[in-house]
Amino acid sequence: MSGWAKKRFWKEASVEETDEGFGILLDGRPVKTPAKAPLTLPTRAMAEAVAAEWAAQDEKIDPATMPVTRSANAAIDKVTIQHGEVADMLAEYGGTDLLCYRATTPEALVARQAKSWDPMLEWAEQEFGARLVAVAGVMHHAQDTQSLEKLRTEVHKLSAFEMAAFHDLVGISGSLILGFAALRGVHDADEIWRLSRVDEQWQEEQWGVDEDASKEAQIKYDAFLHANRFYKLAQI
């Protein structure tokens, strides 16, 4: 968004339905992405969210207050033109999924991980026919290639807008399975975030909260919730 105008020059932001989807107009002029592509959204709900962000700007534009617009730009300018590469990159998380690497000690943490993560691996096997195996320790364990291929196929089915959201859900959680669980509504975003933070929560219980780590976690949490919301906006 660095190439955008830094000062507000419009009075009204509105939504326009087109043959391709929904566009954003500023005083009747269509908005484009930083790469000069039409800012065309897949649903009216997303378009209205983007228009609301533009309408809320003061004299100077603050991109930090426009998360839906930023994600839409990424979907159009980056994911659309690299769809296959992005899908393959995200699918690789299946081979090193957070849920598959377990602590060896203490027993209480081992039990907590199993209670939190085993149901998600079982869900993935039922949902996709993809069985991922959990191992103790951090040494890499090769997963079944057919299971990984089934998960890869599911990632490739996502639209550019869906994948823009999925990118952050997976990257922030460290888990392809939790990313899919968010998309399928297995749990709400807060619960999936909690499942991704089992180890961190354990450490906090043992040693207390580190202020810097807590601030970083809050940033990631906000980004995770936004990604979940962006995916939902792409569906409405």
Side-chain angles (χ1 to χ4, degrees):
M1 297 175 67
S2 59
W4 291 14
K6 296 183 179 180
K7 292 185 178 181
R8 177 165 180 158
F9 58 86
W10 67 94
K11 294 182 179 180
E12 181 183 16
S14 59
V15 174
E16 177 187 46
E17 186 169 4
T18 69
D19 292 339
E20 293 75 28
F22 299 87
I24 307 300
L25 303 178
L26 302 180
D27 294 341
R29 297 171 58 187
V31 176
K32 294 184 179 296
T33 69
K36 308 304 181 184
L39 183 59
T40 303
L41 296 315
T43 67
R44 179 173 291 278
M46 183 179 290
E48 290 176 347
V50 170
E53 290 180 346
W54 284 87
Q57 296 304 299
D58 292 322
E59 181 179 348
K60 292 186 178 180
I61 299 175
D62 181 6
T65 64
M66 307 175 75
V68 182
T69 303
R70 293 201 317 273
S71 293
N73 285 335
I76 295 169
D77 287 347
K78 297 181 180 180
V79 181
T80 296
I81 62 176
Q82 303 178 71
H83 188 278
E85 293 90 333
V86 175
D88 285 340
M89 182 270 290
L90 292 174
E92 289 298 321
Y93 275 83
T96 57
D97 200 284
L98 167 75
L99 307 186
C100 294
Y101 291 86
R102 308 293 177 84
T104 55
T105 59
E107 291 185 6
L109 176 57
V110 174
R112 183 180 297 186
Q113 289 177 338
K115 181 179 180 180
S116 299
W117 295 346
D118 285 356
M120 301 310 303
L121 294 180
E122 292 167 4
W123 168 79
E125 184 172 5
Q126 294 175 0
E127 183 78 3
F128 306 114
R131 183 173 183 268
L132 299 185
V133 178
V135 297
V138 296
M139 295 297 293
H140 180 260
H141 174 81
Q143 299 289 345
D144 176 68
T145 55
Q146 291 186 344
S147 292
L148 294 178
E149 187 56 33
K150 289 177 180 178
L151 294 172
R152 185 184 303 276
T153 298
E154 292 298 323
V155 178
H156 275 268
K157 291 179 181 179
L158 299 174
S159 71
F161 284 87
E162 291 169 338
M163 199 174 299
F166 193 59
H167 176 277
D168 288 351
L169 292 170
V170 173
I172 294 171
S173 70
S175 170
L176 185 67
I177 301 307
L178 290 182
F180 274 126
L183 300 196
R184 302 295 172 92
V186 177
H187 298 296
D188 63 27
D190 279 309
E191 175 62 10
I192 293 175
W193 170 255
R194 186 194 68 78
L195 291 173
S196 77
R197 301 276 299 173
V198 169
D199 291 347
E200 289 81 358
Q201 182 63 41
W202 174 267
Q203 292 296 326
E204 289 179 356
E205 291 173 5
Q206 307 310 306
W207 309 107
V209 177
D210 178 88
E211 185 175 344
D212 291 337
S214 180
K215 289 180 180 179
E216 182 177 352
Q218 183 63 47
I219 293 172
K220 290 181 178 179
Y221 171 71
D222 292 341
F224 189 83
L225 292 188
H226 163 69
N228 189 69
R229 178 193 177 214
F230 189 77
Y231 177 79
K232 289 181 178 179
L233 287 172
Q235 309 304 302
I236 300 174

